[in-house]
Amino acid sequence: MSTVPTTGPATLAAESPEASGAPGAAPPRALKDRFRKGGSGGLFVAPFMIFFGLFLLVPLVYGLWMSFTDASLTGHGDSSFAGLGNYAEALTDSEVWKSLGNTAVFTVLSSVPLVVLALGMALLVHANLPGQWLWRFAFFAPYVLPVAVVWQVWSMMFQPDLGLVNNFLNAIGLDSVGWLVDEKWAMYAVVLVTVWWTAGFNFLLYLSALQAVPDHLYEAAALDGAGAWRRLWSITLPQLKRTTGLIAVLQVLASLKVFDQIYLLTRGGPNGSTRPILEYIYDTGFTGYRLGYASAISYVFFAILVILSLAQFKIFSRKEA
């Protein structure tokens, strides 16, 4: 009885060059790989690159060009080339330096508690105290509030006569304070609002980092007789160095770019004691109509941000090394 050879799909597949592994045979996904290498990824990147160019690169280049002109919001002077005149004026403008000083003071006063307080909040939650969901909600909830809501709440709390803050001070025997109208206290009021509002983000970063610390480190320390404070200083804080560096850099940059809460709470007052550099840029460009000069100030501030960012990066990199 003779055997009839079969030529079905299985036989053809077995005899195909790809299945047999013959020299020069293309792998099963060769066409897909070639298609991917041929630039198909560019189709997915293209929408982002278009919006990135239109809404970031183009305004960036146009703003740089505008900083060398006498451009005005009224439309006059757009074609008048000023050279480095705007930058020279910015470096000698006392209001620029005053607003930069206000920005620096706010950054120092807000960044330190926002890092330390966030760390304490994260350690408290990570200690597995009762009511974990309540602690997490209470610490992070203010961060999701829009700035308009924060302004409404705290402007009422800072009211001189009926505000909750002054009522508390009176209850413990202290005098009322003009939190938003007194040059001595206005900056502290803005810092207090900012810390209450934004500490939740740093708290979340620290909590995530704490949950990533290996448990066997604490177990080994406990076997060696290390107490809670010793474990904190010898294990927890060293394991959080990278997170602390990241939070410090992000917080300093965020504080340097403060605008919303100050503009809504104090309008930069009283007497310009809380006006940051971004508000001065806004006032110069959209109230004083000097877009060219405002652009020059913004690029001076941008250069300062770049220098500070590089310095912070170098400092934390050296510490980690």
Side-chain angles (χ1 to χ4, degrees):
M1 183 175 182
S2 61
T3 303
V4 180
T6 59
T7 57
T11 305
L12 294 176
E15 295 177 355
S16 63
E18 291 81 1
S20 60
R29 297 184 178 179
L31 295 178
K32 292 183 179 180
D33 293 340
R34 290 173 185 173
F35 183 69
R36 291 173 182 172
K37 293 179 180 179
S40 62
L43 297 177
F44 298 96
V45 179
F48 167 78
M49 295 303 297
I50 292 174
F51 283 97
F52 179 78
L54 288 177
F55 295 101
L56 185 63
L57 293 182
V58 173
L60 188 67
V61 175
Y62 182 70
L64 181 61
W65 161 253
M66 190 183 297
S67 67
F68 294 102
T69 68
D70 290 328
S72 173
L73 191 62
T74 61
H76 301 289
D78 289 352
S79 59
S80 178
F81 185 73
L84 296 176
N86 288 329
Y87 289 93
E89 183 180 354
L91 295 177
T92 57
D93 190 347
S94 60
E95 291 298 323
V96 170
W97 292 106
K98 182 179 180 180
S99 58
L100 280 174
N102 293 336
T103 306
V105 170
F106 174 84
T107 301
V108 173
L109 292 178
S110 62
S111 296
V112 175
L114 277 170
V115 174
V116 176
L117 182 62
L119 175 59
M121 292 159 55
L123 290 173
L124 183 62
V125 171
H126 192 64
N128 293 324
L129 296 177
Q132 286 293 305
W133 68 270
L134 181 60
W135 291 106
R136 294 170 186 259
F137 175 78
F139 291 154
F140 187 72
Y143 182 73
V144 302
L145 296 176
V147 65
V149 175
V150 175
W151 161 63
Q152 289 284 356
V153 171
W154 281 95
S155 62
M156 290 187 292
M157 293 179 64
F158 283 140
Q159 286 292 327
D161 299 325
L162 303 176
L164 181 63
V165 178
N166 278 339
N167 286 339
F168 173 76
L169 293 178
N170 295 333
I172 60 176
L174 299 177
D175 296 331
S176 298
V177 175
W179 291 101
L180 301 179
V181 295
D182 190 340
E183 294 184 30
K184 182 180 178 181
W185 297 102
M187 184 63 76
Y188 293 104
V190 174
V191 170
L192 176 61
V193 174
T194 303
V195 171
W196 176 85
W197 180 33
T198 60
F201 179 74
N202 295 342
F203 152 74
L204 194 63
L205 294 179
Y206 267 128
L207 184 61
S208 300
L210 284 172
Q211 293 173 348
V213 177
D215 293 334
H216 66 82
L217 296 179
Y218 295 107
E219 295 172 358
L223 291 176
D224 291 338
W229 286 105
R230 186 61 180 175
R231 293 196 298 270
L232 174 64
W233 288 104
S234 300
I235 299 176
T236 304
L237 294 183
Q239 290 291 320
L240 296 179
K241 279 186 177 180
R242 291 189 176 183
T243 303
T244 301
L246 173 64
I247 291 176
V249 172
L250 293 178
Q251 188 56 62
V252 168
L253 293 178
S255 297
L256 288 172
K257 296 184 294 183
V258 62
F259 175 78
D260 299 351
Q261 60 268 39
I262 291 182
Y263 184 77
L264 291 174
L265 285 169
T266 65
R267 293 295 194 275
N271 298 324
S273 60
T274 61
R275 181 167 64 175
I277 185 63
L278 288 185
E279 185 175 344
Y280 182 64
I281 294 172
Y282 172 83
D283 292 338
T284 302
F286 295 96
T287 303
Y289 305 116
R290 299 186 61 190
L291 291 181
Y293 182 50
S295 299
I297 300 174
S298 65
Y299 277 92
V300 171
F301 182 55
F302 174 73
I304 295 174
L305 288 180
V306 171
I307 293 173
L308 289 177
S309 301
L310 293 176
Q312 281 188 294
F313 177 78
K314 188 173 183 179
I315 290 173
F316 284 110
S317 298
R318 186 176 298 174
K319 284 183 178 181
E320 188 167 340

